[in-house]
Amino acid sequence: MKQCEGHIDDAEKDKVIFDVLEENQEVDDEATLKRRLAGPSVLKSGQESVNQEKINEIIYAASKGSKYFEAEQKRDLELRNRIERVQKEVKEYYRKLECDKAFQREWAERTDEIDSYMEELRSSRDLSQVIVHVDCDAFYASIEELRNENLKNVPMAVGKGVLCTANYMARKFGVRSAMPEFIARKLCPELVVIPLNIPEYAKKSKEIQDVLAQYDPNLCPASIDEVYMNLTPYMDRQEFTKDEDTMQKVVMEIRNNVLEATGVSVSCGIAVNKLLAKIASNMKKPNDQFIVSNEAEVIEKFVSELPTRRINGIGRVLEQELLGLDIKTCGDIIHNRTILSYIFKEKTSQNLIQCSLGIGSTIVEDFGDSNRKSIGCEITFSNAITSGGLLESKLQSLCQSLADDLLKRDLIANSMSIKIKTDTFQVHTRQKNLRGYIYNDTDLFCEALKLLRMEYPLRLRLLGVRLSKLTTKSSYFASQIKFSKQNSVPCPVCHKNLEDDLAAVNQHIDLCLNTETVKTVINNEKKELPLKRKRNTIDVFFRH
């Protein structure tokens, strides 16, 4: 019972904090909307000196009255309503905790279960690995600066309609990735915008990966400009000690080699797992590195002080829900672990706890295309397109691009979906399972066109195509040949034609051999035994 009382005391402290928050918090309808309009990249490096509140005001004013603004305003209202429902739910749980003894016991039991789960996580923690997250600095912009050195001295961004990245000079004005171009020009009127050149970026990405592969041949690319590496085998082969100084020297050597060979600077995070390495790589950008200690206590202290948004997997919506409960850091998540288990689904609350303890995956390998779940591409339009002919032309280009990707990866698809974003910024998808596997641009376009025309008339800002239920072309056609009659094989025992399937042939031959052996034994026994007079049995007597 003392243990239960301890849990209740902790819950009472939480409740006091929550009550103070509820009493003092003045709901500003515009505050959350301004944060939302600021976009998902507010934590990008190079913007530390930016007056974010001022930037948010400019973005708010520039967006106001547009359809985009109205759509975001609607989504923000939905989010605020959901947060209010969660706050009421939390208040009800704490009310029950004051007067409901059965719920008090349930709360204590649940807290014990969560604590046991945390101890299991801690005991299974792997602290032996040296995982590095390599992140290229302003990748697209860096390549454009290599191609034109004059761009290094001006604020510059890459993209069209919506920016993909910006150099560090542009970031000082608040310009960043995923920002509409017209807003970026409001923040920085002298901004130079360069169109995308994906083939050039892919080529440079391959060059960088070739350098990294000298240290870890099993690279795990996370995107075109970031890669995970496991340096543990390399350091073991070199008989290096895994102290922080040695790890720092090895990673510095890697960064210098990448810069010398490709002209692109990279930032690196060094840690015992992928979660921490990803966080660390953003701590000292650009062109630097950061290491997280491999001691469990130091890791937990480091993570506990991080804002929740720093954790990969906690997006803007979940961040706002947590902020609505006055949960700002990962340490706050651990402190409020019990109430969070009531608010969120089990998988979400467990993932929050796991991340807040600094526990992540240590598996670093390129799983290849055979394990891909889907493949797709999309295009954003700076102005809404209404012309059916133009839309279908864009769709055909997307299908051609997809066909090229499928060919390069030896893949075929059995399911297709299209994604559209209207001029009111509503996103819709329509999916179709196909009768067979397809891979060429003609078949892809034919199926995608049927899905698109079901949505007419349209005013689109974005169009995308995605393929799923993938398999390799070679394995699919091999399976088709395997079951054809012309590829049958004869059984060496009974001479019956069998399907050319090794497992099935072996099973049949085993059965045949057993049957023939039994027949042979019986026949031999009959030849060797003398003839006996037939004798009636009691069964025969009763049958008569």
Side-chain angles (χ1 to χ4, degrees), residues 297-361:
E297 291 181 0
V298 179
I299 288 172
E300 290 193 23
K301 185 176 186 302
F302 168 74
V303 178
S304 69
E305 297 170 355
L306 292 175
T308 57
R309 192 71 171 88
R310 287 281 186 184
I311 301 297
N312 191 32
I314 298 182
R316 285 185 297 167
V317 173
L318 183 53
E319 178 200 27
Q320 290 301 313
E321 290 179 345
L322 292 172
L323 285 174
L325 301 176
D326 199 31
I327 295 175
K328 300 174 183 176
T329 67
C330 292
D332 294 336
I333 290 175
I334 297 298
H335 185 69
N336 293 278
R337 59 194 180 280
T338 307
I339 190 63
L340 290 178
S341 72
Y342 281 98
I343 298 302
F344 297 112
K345 292 180 180 179
E346 182 180 15
K347 187 175 181 180
T348 303
S349 59
Q350 286 183 349
N351 186 56
L352 287 172
I353 289 171
Q354 185 171 324
C355 292
S356 298
L357 293 175
I359 296 173
S361 172

Side-chain angles (χ1 to χ4, degrees), residues 104-246:
Q104 290 174 3
R105 289 192 294 272
E106 179 189 321
W107 179 283
E109 289 171 2
R110 180 168 291 203
T111 304
D112 287 337
E113 288 175 4
I114 295 170
D115 290 346
S116 296
Y117 172 69
M118 289 170 61
E119 287 308 311
E120 287 178 15
L121 290 174
R122 288 184 172 115
S123 63
S124 62
R125 190 199 299 265
D126 184 356
L127 300 172
S128 64
Q129 303 299 305
V130 182
I131 310 297
V132 179
H133 181 253
V134 182
D135 193 3
C136 300
D137 300 321
F139 184 52
Y140 294 176
S142 296
I143 297 172
E144 295 299 338
E145 288 175 352
L146 285 174
R147 299 171 68 195
N148 182 357
E149 290 191 1
N150 294 329
L151 295 174
K152 292 181 179 180
N153 303 315
V154 297
M156 179 265 291
V158 178
K160 185 179 180 182
V162 176
L163 304 182
C164 296
T165 191
N167 67 4
Y168 285 90
M169 186 170 288
R171 293 184 189 192
K172 293 178 182 179
F173 293 88
V175 177
R176 54 182 174 268
S177 61
M179 176 176 281
E181 185 179 337
F182 80 94
I183 289 179
R185 293 191 182 281
K186 291 277 186 182
L187 298 173
C188 180
E190 298 178 357
L191 183 69
V192 177
V193 179
I194 307 295
L196 282 165
N197 189 343
I198 296 297
E200 191 68 28
Y201 308 151
K203 180 181 175 182
K204 187 64 70 173
S205 177
K206 178 66 167 55
E207 291 177 14
I208 294 169
Q209 291 183 28
D210 287 343
V211 176
L212 300 178
Q214 298 172 22
Y215 297 86
D216 178 13
N218 299 313
L219 297 174
C220 178
S223 67
I224 195 171
D225 66 340
E226 56 179 327
V227 174
Y228 287 100
M229 305 170 62
N230 189 341
L231 290 184
T232 313
Y234 172 80
M235 299 192 72
D236 289 341
R237 287 194 304 271
Q238 300 294 325
E239 298 183 353
F240 290 155
T241 57
K242 294 174 186 174
D243 60 277
E244 291 190 12
D245 286 342
T246 305

Side-chain angles (χ1 to χ4, degrees), residues 60 120 344 368 431 493 525 539:
Y60 182 85
E120 287 178 15
F344 297 112
Q431 185 171 0
V493 181
E525 286 181 351
D539 291 333

Side-chain angles (χ1 to χ4, degrees), residues 38-62:
S41 304
V42 291
L43 297 177
K44 284 282 187 181
S45 62
Q47 298 177 149
E48 295 80 8
S49 60
V50 170
N51 184 338
Q52 194 57 55
E53 288 187 9
K54 182 179 179 181
I55 297 297
N56 289 355
E57 290 289 346
I58 295 172
I59 295 172
Y60 182 85

